[in-house]
Amino acid sequence: MDLSSPIEEVKGVGPKTAALLRRVNLCTVGDLIYCLPRIYENYQTTTNIEDLHPGKVIIRGKISDLHVVRTSRKRLTITQGVIRDNTGAVRTVWFNQPYRAKQFDEKREYYFTGKYELKNGRYQLTSPSATLVQDVESTASSGFQPIYSAKSAIKPQMFHKLIDGLRPQFAKIPDLLPLTKGKPDFVKQGSRAEALYNSHFPESPADAESAREYLAYEELFELILAAKLNKQENQRLKSIPLPFQAEFTQCLVKYLPFRLTGAQRRATWEILQDLERPLPMNRLLQGDVGSGKTIVAALAAAQATLHNYQTALLAPTAILATQHFEDLSRLFRNLERALGPNAPWRLPRIALLTGATSNKRQLKAAVKNGEVDFVIGTHALLTDDTNFYSLALCIIDEQHRFGVGQRQKLLLKSPENTAPHLLSMTATPIPRSLQLTVFGDLDVSMLNELPPGRQPIVTKILSEISQREELYPKMRELLKKNQQIYWICQVIEEKNASTATPVKIQAKKLQEIFPKVKIGILHGKMKPEEKDKIMNDFVENKIQLLVSTTVVEVGVNVPNANMIIIQDSENYGLAQLHQLRGRVGRGDQPASCFLLTTGEGKPSKRLREMEKSTDGFHLAEVDLKIRGPGEIYGSMQHGELNLQIASLNDTALISQAGLHAAQFIKDAEKLAAYPELARRIKRYQQITTLN
Ligand code: ADP
Ligand code: MG
C-alpha cells in the first residue's frame, strides 16, 4: 500500500464505506491523510456541573429524562433532557433535532460540548454535541481529539479508526516544499509527514498548533508563489508603450473643474508611468465610493488617445456605463474648449456601447476603423463582433463584478501579439493580507482621501418593528428641502424565500404616507430601458423617492440624494452595505443612512461596524474576518479562494512565506524539481489570475 492506493485497500473499508468516501472525493490513502481535522476538542478541560459559567463548556456526564416537545408556533420541536455528573444536574435543549431523544444510552457517559446560557430565566446547555467517553479514550489517549468536518460523510468514530490504521503510511509522505532552507524558526515541525501526523494525532494543543503552522505555511507559500508566477508570466507579454507627456497632462489637470486630491495625483502618476512601459500594466485602483476614480481613468485614456491608441472602459451595468459616458463626454468637451482650437493635442472621441445602443453596427464599425478613441460599455463590449483598431488600454470599473473569463475576453481584443494595459477599479477594497497572498505583488494605487467638502454620512440602526415611525418625520423634512431619498428593499428571487417585503408593496405603503411625493420603483426584473428611464428621472429629480432593490448599488451618482434607508439590512454583506451607503453623501449636503432590522436581538457585528465607520478599507478588513475571502471574492474567483488551513490573520507566516517565495522564484527552474508542488501551483495560478 502507498499513498495512491485506492481506499478499498484500507483496513476496515468495505464497499459501502468506500462508496460514501468516494462521494466526497476521498478516493486514495493520500486523500484520507490529507483530510485534516477542522478543529480539536480538548476533553482535558471538562467542567463540573456545579462550577459551570455561561459560555462554551464541556461536561462529562450521563443523560436522562429525554423527551420531545412540539410547539404549535412555527412547528418547532424541542428535545429536552437532563445531564448529571457527580456534582449536579443541568437541563439541556436541542431545537429541531428530535432524533436526539433516541440517540443516547442512559447508562453510558458522554462528553457534551455546547453553550451554557440563561434562557427564559433558567440556565441550560443549548444544542450540545455529544461524544461517547469510551470512543474518545480509544482514539485519543491524551483526551485531545481532532474533529473532522461533517462532510466526511461517515461517522466520526469510523473516520478516526481509519486514520488510525494508516499510521504506518505517514512515513511515506514526501515533503512538498523546499522547506529545509528559509523555513522560519517558528514553523517547528521537521517535515510534512511529521506535520500531517501531528495534526491527526496530536498529544497536546501545542502539537496541533505547530502542525497547523507548518501546513499553513506550505499553503501560503504555494499561493504566493502562484501569484508571483502569474506576475512573471504577465511580464513576458508585450504591450504598447504610451509615453508620458508632462505638458499635456499638466494642461488637462489645470483645466479640470476641480483640484485633484493628493491621492488622485499619486494614482494618476503611478498609472501614467506604468503606461510608458512596453510591459502590460496590471494595476488595481482602489478607492472608496466617491473618491473620484473616474477622473483618474479619464486621464489615462487621454494619454492613450494622445498616441492614437484606443481605450475601452467596461462597466457592470448600462446605467453606470451611460453615466460614465455622459460625465466623460462633458469633461472632454469642456477641456477641449479650454484648450482652444490651436492646441497641439486632441482629446478622445468617445462612444457608448450597451445592449440598448440603437446603431450598434455602425458604432462597431467606427470602433473597428479607429474613428472612436474611447469606448465605454457593458458586456456588449465583449461580443465577438466587437473589434478594435488599436486597443492599448482596458479599464474595468467595479472589477469584482466580472469573472476571469469576461476580463480575458476584453483583453484579447488588443492587436495581435500585444496585451493591453489593464486598469481595474474597485470600491470594494482588497485587504492588504489578501493582496499579499492571493494576488501576489499586484500593483495597487489607493485613493485613500475623499475630495474636500464631503459631508460625513451619519448611520443609524433602527428596528423596523418599533422604530419605523421615527423615520417618517426625518424623510419629510428632507423632501421638503427638495432633496431625494433611496429606499432599498430586498426582493425575493425564488418564490418561497424569506419574508422581505417586495418593492411594489413598499412603494405603495410609502405613497400612503407621502401622498404628494413622486415615488419611483426600480428592480432587476425590469427591462433595461425601463430601468434607465426611472434612473434618469431620479437623476433629474422628477422622482423624489426611489424604492429599489440593490440594482442601484453600483456607481451611480445622484448628488441631490441625501438619505438612504436599507430594509432587512442584516441580510447584506458589509461590502454591499457600504456600497449602498455610498449612493448618498455625494453632494455638499449632510447625508444619512438608516439600517432597518427586523430581528429582535442585538444588531449584528456587521451592522454595528457600519454605524461606527465609513472607511471602506476598514470595513473590508472586518468583512474578511467575519466571512472569509471566498464569500467576498467568490464570484470573481469561483469560490475556490478559501484557504484550507492558513488564515489571513497569520500575518507573520504570510510575510515569511512571501519572502521565501520571492527567493525561490529567482530560479524558476527549481520548480521542475518539485513536480507535485508544480502541479498544485498551476491550479492556484488559474484561480488567482487577475487579468
Ligand atoms: P468613484 O470613485 O466612486 O467612482 P467618481 O469618480 O464617480 O467616484 O467621483 C465622484 C464625484 O466626485 C464625481 O461627481 C466627481 O466629479 C467628483 N470628484 C472627483 N474628484 C474630485 C475632486 N478632486 N474634487 C472635487 N470633486 C471631485
Ligand atoms: Mg465609480
Side-chain angles (χ1 to χ4, degrees):
M1 183 157 46
D2 62 22
L3 296 174
S4 60
S5 304
I7 36 163
E8 283 80 0
E9 288 180 24
V10 177
K11 198 169 146 253
V13 177
K16 223 170 111 193
T17 310
L20 287 173
L21 290 170
R22 283 185 178 275
R23 203 180 299 158
V24 289
N25 273 332
L26 298 174
C27 306
T28 65
V29 170
D31 291 344
L32 278 180
I33 288 178
Y34 301 140
C35 182
L36 296 178
R38 188 168 46 89
I39 47 164
Y40 297 87
E41 204 61 89
N42 192 351
Y43 294 114
Q44 297 157 333
T45 58
T46 56
T47 312
N48 288 333
I49 289 176
E50 66 176 1
D51 299 327
L52 286 176
H53 283 288
K56 194 197 153 186
V57 296
I58 303 177
I59 302 169
R60 177 178 171 151
K62 292 180 181 167
I63 189 163
S64 58
D65 306 313
L66 280 156
H67 61 282
V68 180
V69 184
R70 263 170 239 282
T71 61
S72 54
R73 194 170 63 100
K74 292 185 200 160
R75 278 186 248 112
L76 193 67
T77 70
I78 300 174
T79 309
Q80 301 183 354
V82 177
I83 300 168
R84 289 192 172 80
D85 67 7
N86 293 333
T87 67
V90 60
R91 199 169 86 100
T92 183
V93 173
W94 289 274
F95 300 100
N96 284 340
Q97 300 177 19
Y99 64 88
R100 291 285 189 186
K102 300 208 173 78
Q103 181 192 8
F104 298 100
D105 179 344
E106 298 198 351
K107 294 191 197 70
R108 300 178 80 180
E109 258 192 316
Y110 295 84
Y111 289 112
F112 295 95
T113 307
K115 195 166 161 197
Y116 182 64
E117 60 183 352
L118 189 62
K119 269 279 165 78
N120 304 324
R122 289 167 74 182
Y123 279 101
Q124 66 180 38
L125 185 65
T126 307
S127 304
S129 64
T131 312
L132 267 173
V133 169
Q134 195 194 359
D135 281 345
V136 173
E137 281 169 356
S138 67
T139 54
S141 52
S142 60
F144 182 66
Q145 196 188 42
I147 307 288
Y148 295 92
S149 157
K151 262 193 302 192
S152 51
I154 58 170
K155 284 219 177 96
Q157 289 320 315
M158 174 77 178
F159 203 82
H160 283 131
K161 283 209 181 92
L162 291 182
I163 298 278
D164 203 48
L166 292 175
R167 284 183 198 240
Q169 301 302 321
F170 279 76
K172 299 177 189 162
I173 299 168
D175 280 355
L176 259 189
L177 296 191
L179 263 189
T180 36
K181 248 203 281 171
K183 185 184 70 168
D185 299 339
F186 55 85
V187 176
K188 290 191 193 67
Q189 311 281 313
S191 66
R192 179 155 218 250
E194 187 184 341
L196 284 166
Y197 188 88
N198 282 339
S199 70
H200 287 292
F201 313 109
E203 288 289 323
S204 66
D207 251 10
E209 177 52 21
S210 58
R212 189 197 72 86
E213 269 176 8
Y214 182 99
L215 297 167
Y217 186 78
E218 193 180 83
E219 183 176 32
L220 290 166
F221 177 85
E222 288 175 353
L223 202 55
I224 295 172
L225 188 61
K228 285 188 188 299
L229 282 170
N230 271 339
K231 182 166 182 180
Q232 208 175 54
E233 282 171 18
N234 196 38
Q235 300 284 287
R236 289 208 191 98
L237 302 169
K238 293 218 170 1
S239 46
I240 296 152
L242 304 164
F244 175 60
Q245 278 206 16
E247 209 189 327
F248 170 68
T249 304
Q250 277 160 12
C251 201
L252 292 189
V253 168
K254 190 170 85 191
Y255 290 124
L256 288 178
F258 40 69
R259 227 180 100 79
L260 290 181
T261 64
Q264 282 172 319
R265 275 168 203 276
R266 262 192 312 279
T268 306
W269 174 234
E270 285 161 353
I271 291 162
L272 296 185
Q273 271 185 314
D274 281 358
L275 293 181
E276 285 200 305
R277 307 199 308 156
L279 307 171
M281 164 170 83
N282 185 9
R283 185 171 284 277
L284 181 68
L285 177 59
Q286 292 195 145
D288 221 331
V289 274
S291 60
K293 293 184 287 294
T294 320
I295 190 72
V296 176
L299 290 169
Q303 173 110 325
T305 304
L306 188 66
H307 299 285
N308 293 317
Y309 282 97
Q310 289 173 303
T311 302
L313 191 163
L314 181 63
T317 64
I319 297 173
L320 195 55
T322 310
Q323 193 157 54
H324 278 321
F325 172 72
E326 284 167 0
D327 290 350
L328 293 174
S329 304
R330 193 175 333 111
L331 177 83
F332 288 129
R333 230 174 15 244
N334 289 339
L335 284 174
E336 224 149 44
R337 205 171 302 134
L339 291 177
N342 299 323
W345 315 291
R346 67 187 191 85
L347 292 176
R349 291 163 297 176
I350 165 172
L352 174 67
L353 182 61
T354 70
T357 304
S358 53
N359 52 346
K360 268 202 208 78
R361 195 181 303 156
Q362 215 179 331
L363 185 68
K364 282 182 184 173
V367 172
K368 189 171 178 206
N369 298 330
E371 291 154 26
V372 167
D373 302 297
F374 188 1
V375 194
I376 296 170
T378 53
H379 300 84
L381 278 180
L382 305 176
T383 55
D384 288 337
D385 64 343
T386 312
N387 295 301
F388 287 80
Y389 180 71
S390 59
L391 179 65
L393 170 63
C394 292
I395 303 169
I396 301 187
D397 196 14
E398 310 290 344
Q399 64 93 23
H400 60 285
R401 306 271 298 222
F402 295 95
V404 177
Q406 290 171 316
R407 296 196 299 260
Q408 289 282 2
K409 267 202 174 133
L410 185 62
L411 296 178
L412 286 173
K413 294 188 185 290
S414 57
E416 221 169 303
N417 300 323
T418 70
H421 296 287
L422 172 63
L423 177 65
S424 312
M425 307 201 286
T426 182
T428 307
I430 300 179
R432 188 75 195 125
S433 48
L434 205 56
Q435 273 174 36
L436 277 170
T437 45
V438 177
F439 301 110
D441 296 331
L442 177 72
D443 296 316
V444 178
S445 295
M446 301 255 263
L447 297 185
N448 49 5
E449 181 185 350
L450 291 180
R454 291 282 157 80
Q455 300 280 338
I457 306 168
V458 178
T459 305
K460 202 165 178 324
I461 302 170
L462 291 180
S463 157
E464 167 122 37
I465 300 152
S466 59
Q467 294 173 297
R468 188 174 159 128
E469 301 293 323
E470 287 177 29
L471 262 178
Y472 300 141
K474 295 191 172 84
M475 291 171 70
R476 192 162 288 127
E477 194 185 331
L478 197 100
L479 292 164
K480 235 193 243 157
K481 288 192 253 171
N482 203 21
Q483 295 181 16
Q484 293 161 278
I485 299 176
Y486 292 100
W487 183 291
I488 307 297
C489 23
Q490 201 183 27
V491 158
I492 325 137
E493 295 297 343
E494 298 112 298
K495 278 197 196 84
N496 46 7
S498 98
T499 53
T501 322
V503 176
K504 284 182 195 162
I505 299 176
Q506 210 48 246
K508 195 162 160 238
K509 223 171 174 176
L510 290 166
Q511 191 74 77
E512 278 161 21
I513 295 157
F514 303 104
K516 289 200 194 110
V517 169
K518 180 93 175 94
I519 296 181
I521 59 175
L522 190 68
H523 57 79
K525 291 264 161 65
M526 288 160 68
K527 292 207 187 79
E529 311 89 76
E530 290 175 325
K531 274 194 255 179
D532 288 352
K533 162 116 187 29
I534 296 286
M535 208 55 224
N536 273 332
D537 285 354
F538 192 59
V539 170
E540 290 168 12
N541 202 357
K542 288 182 195 156
I543 289 173
Q544 290 169 285
L545 172 55
L546 183 65
V547 182
S548 169
T549 62
T550 55
V551 294
V552 295
E553 177 194 343
V554 285
V556 285
N557 196 22
V558 184
N560 190 45
N562 288 312
M563 183 183 289
I564 185 164
I565 295 129
I566 305 171
Q567 271 190 301
D568 295 303
S569 57
E570 60 268 57
N571 295 342
Y572 298 101
L574 257 181
Q576 203 177 10
L577 288 172
H578 182 63
Q579 278 272 348
L580 284 168
R581 180 170 59 183
R583 293 311 100 223
V584 299
R586 301 172 78 89
D588 49 11
Q589 293 295 314
S592 49
C593 167
F594 295 97
L595 304 170
L596 298 187
T597 64
T598 49
E600 286 160 29
K602 198 164 128 195
S604 66
K605 176 159 169 41
R606 260 209 299 265
L607 295 186
R608 282 178 286 133
E609 285 291 340
M610 281 290 291
E611 244 182 357
K612 273 191 278 184
S613 170
T614 51
D615 176 351
F617 292 93
H618 169 73
L619 293 174
E621 297 277 357
V622 175
D623 210 17
L624 188 66
K625 286 207 182 103
I626 300 178
R627 292 195 299 159
E631 280 289 312
I632 306 173
Y633 301 98
S635 61
M636 170 167 79
Q637 310 288 349
H638 318 300
E640 291 183 62
L641 236 175
N642 279 332
L643 298 167
Q644 301 294 311
I645 303 156
S647 135
L648 291 167
N649 298 328
D650 287 324
T651 28
L653 285 176
I654 289 173
S655 69
Q656 288 282 347
L659 288 175
H660 187 183
Q663 237 169 27
F664 184 79
I665 204 178
K666 280 195 197 132
D667 181 8
E669 312 288 279
K670 264 194 247 161
L671 202 52
Y674 300 93
E676 172 65 7
L677 179 67
R679 191 183 61 76
R680 293 161 61 113
I681 297 231
K682 195 90 224 142
R683 205 191 119 249
Y684 274 133
Q685 272 190 274
Q686 277 158 7
I687 52 177
T688 60
T689 181
L690 246 199
N691 39 343

